[in-house]
Amino acid sequence: MPHVLVAGRIHDAGIQLLKSARTVTFDLVNEISVESYAGLIGKADGLVIRTQPLTAAVIQNSPRLKIVSRHGVGYDAVDVAALNQRGIALAIVGDVNSGAVAEHALMLMLASARRSIVHDAATRQGNWQLRNNFDSAELEGKTLLIVGFGRIGRKVAKLAQAFGMKITVHDPFLGAASLSEAGVTPATDLAQVLGGADVVTLHVPLSPKGFLIGADELARMKPSAILINTARGGLIDEMALDAALRAGKLAGAALDVFSEEPPPPDHPLLSNDRVTLSPHNASLTRECAERMALAAVQNVLDFFDGKLDPALVVNRDHVKGLP
């Protein structure tokens, strides 16, 4: 009977699915860290993993491992090359979280534009006169630059259009014609269009080339602009962002992800009232957490039943025996 390790707390619906399957045994580790699950990996045939790294060293110590199922769609923290060397499948959950992340991105845009965090604190402190600073802004009529036009980027566009925003999209993997058909303005050169955007939102994976938004890119943006990242920590130079915000070269930013998670207590963005922060929970609504848990567990069960959808296996060219 295959043994499954669930590394990191997932919605109870996923655990109940494992229990009801009666074809596997499993261990559950609630903490989300490498150290918490590494000692149990040796007896695991399958692994359901949250956002913590899956390193080559851990994979080397997992002689029975055959399937890894990510509780999500990103896999930047997984050493895919090490999995490929062993022919271990890496599955993702498919389109179960795009709506939740898109809503979160819009929430962060609104919170940043309306200075919600600062105004909430001022109201609680009795500083009613802050309202007369006229420091909040509207989204209607503003230009939104969406970087990356996959499932999440497309849903962000639809939500933003409902707010009356003008949508420009930069996605080097999509042609101008397909973007125009989607009702958005294509932009081939990111550097050129940054200066015309009122809000920039990122929906792309990490790149080995380094920061997508560094000091040079921040300098191209309007002083009134807002930068949103619900995609991946490491896309933005966080020190350069903090400096730009404090110098008044950028009006606001909102981050759901960080280069180091959780960020260290002395991270300068934690004390910057021009940035709105959330703990990498864009997809962790009650509804989406349940969908992700069920999908991640089902991938493992389907693998051992010989019916895992190959479209959900990101390294399927290196895995034998898929349907």
Side-chain angles (χ1 to χ4, degrees), residues 108-130:
L108 291 176
M109 287 181 210
L110 286 163
S112 298
R114 291 297 182 133
R115 301 275 284 150
S116 296
I117 303 299
V118 171
H119 292 170
D120 176 272
T123 305
R124 295 174 189 273
Q125 295 162 8
N127 183 11
W128 196 256
Q129 294 307 311
L130 185 69

Side-chain angles (χ1 to χ4, degrees), residues 51-75:
T51 56
Q52 66 271 51
L54 177 58
T55 65
V58 173
I59 294 167
Q60 187 176 8
N61 291 326
S62 58
R64 294 169 48 176
L65 193 62
K66 302 175 183 65
I67 171 69
V68 176
S69 183
R70 265 283 294 118
H71 183 269
V73 294
Y75 47 92

